[in-house]
Amino acid sequence: MSSVRIGRLLVHARGGEDRKGGGDGPAVLLCHGFGAPGDDLVALSRVIDAGPGVRWFFPEALLEAEVGPGMLGRAWWPIDMERLVGHLMRGDIDSALRSLDEVPPGLDAAREALVETLGVLESSYGVKRDRLIVGGFSQGAMLATELSMMLGEPFAGIALLSGTRIGGERWREGAARLGGRLHAFMAHGRRDPILPFGRAEVLRDILQEAGARVTFVPHNGAHEIPQIVVDGLGQFARERLFG
């Protein structure tokens, strides 16, 4: 694995001709979730069969996040997880949903940093948008959705693992603009205690109503990436990058 600063973000690269992201093959970029280490998703490059010569890029968020006493992870923008989980544990679903419908401070800055990194990947690494899948897990999936909805041209696909809708109707206009050119893979656990399953269904419906082609993989797990998602994402990647 190589780790190199691309734009403002440190990016972990795998795969390709040299197993360090080299060559000119198609690519997958995945963003980690809130509080995770920056290399949290790198292992997926070893277990997902996305096709021959695929390059993998895993950017690290700029912010540090405290996830426990003396424990730090990375964050794309600040989240009061204690507040959100507290609402859910008390069964106060209305308050939890209101917090998710806010546009979080820091979302625009995170998107701009990722756009900058993508620009360098295109100009210096030969990554082409129509041969690139962008996605992530949890907060990383939200950022990937934000990026896709706010850009005018679609990627080969977006991969949203345990993500959710944020910002109310913020993404509906972007989805309508992309329409049938948008291909999405979505996966979510029915027992997710952090981001309710129903919220993923809402996002799925927004995309489908806009004409997007959505592969939706529900599973019986929680906030996680089980084997059914690994297999499904591999199939989606092969179809979108080599089909």
Side-chain angles (χ1 to χ4, degrees):
M1 178 177 71
S2 68
S3 300
V4 60
R5 195 158 298 279
I6 302 177
R8 280 176 285 164
L9 302 179
L10 180 66
V11 178
H12 306 288
R14 292 290 297 268
E17 294 177 1
D18 57 3
R19 301 183 62 82
K20 297 180 180 181
D24 60 357
V28 179
L29 181 147
L30 296 178
C31 301
H32 62 78
F34 177 86
D39 60 355
D40 182 55
L41 299 180
V42 170
L44 290 178
S45 64
R46 297 195 298 270
V47 298
I48 294 178
D49 179 10
V54 170
R55 296 179 285 167
W56 295 83
F57 299 99
F58 302 92
E60 284 198 14
L62 289 172
L63 304 180
E64 280 190 341
E66 185 173 352
V67 294
M71 298 172 59
L72 294 175
R74 312 300 300 179
W76 295 102
W77 59 85
I79 293 179
D80 189 343
M81 288 300 296
E82 200 170 302
R83 171 190 172 210
L84 175 59
V85 172
H87 288 321
L88 294 172
M89 294 295 289
R90 291 191 299 272
D92 188 358
I93 302 300
D94 288 341
S95 294
L97 295 183
R98 279 197 298 273
S99 68
L100 290 173
D101 276 333
E102 299 167 357
V103 177
L107 175 60
D108 289 346
R111 185 190 69 245
E112 290 167 5
L114 190 55
V115 166
E116 181 181 322
T117 293
L118 285 170
V120 178
L121 285 173
E122 291 174 349
S123 64
S124 300
Y125 291 77
V127 173
K128 296 179 174 56
R129 190 171 297 185
D130 62 356
R131 301 181 72 212
L132 170 66
I133 291 173
V134 171
F137 175 76
S138 193
Q139 190 185 54
M142 302 175 211
L143 178 57
T145 310
E146 166 77 5
L147 178 72
S148 183
M149 296 303 102
M150 295 300 163
L151 293 178
E153 292 298 322
F155 300 103
I158 57 174
L160 312 179
L161 313 181
S162 298
T164 194
R165 184 191 70 168
I166 55 175
E169 299 297 299
R170 179 182 179 92
W171 293 336
R172 192 177 293 275
E173 183 179 341
R177 186 167 56 248
L178 292 170
R181 299 179 298 157
L182 176 61
H183 295 257
F185 176 88
M186 296 183 63
H188 211 97
R190 294 186 178 92
R191 298 200 296 266
D192 192 325
I194 298 173
L195 299 175
F197 180 77
R199 296 281 300 192
E201 293 182 304
V202 169
L203 178 56
R204 175 201 63 194
D205 292 346
I206 288 173
L207 300 182
Q208 289 181 330
E209 289 165 8
R213 304 174 191 185
V214 180
T215 300
F216 187 63
V217 179
H219 58 84
N220 293 324
H223 201 62
E224 58 187 298
I225 305 175
Q227 189 63 44
I228 189 174
V229 176
V230 169
D231 295 341
L233 181 51
Q235 181 177 344
F236 176 79
R238 293 191 301 273
E239 290 173 353
R240 294 306 305 147
L241 298 177
F242 296 96

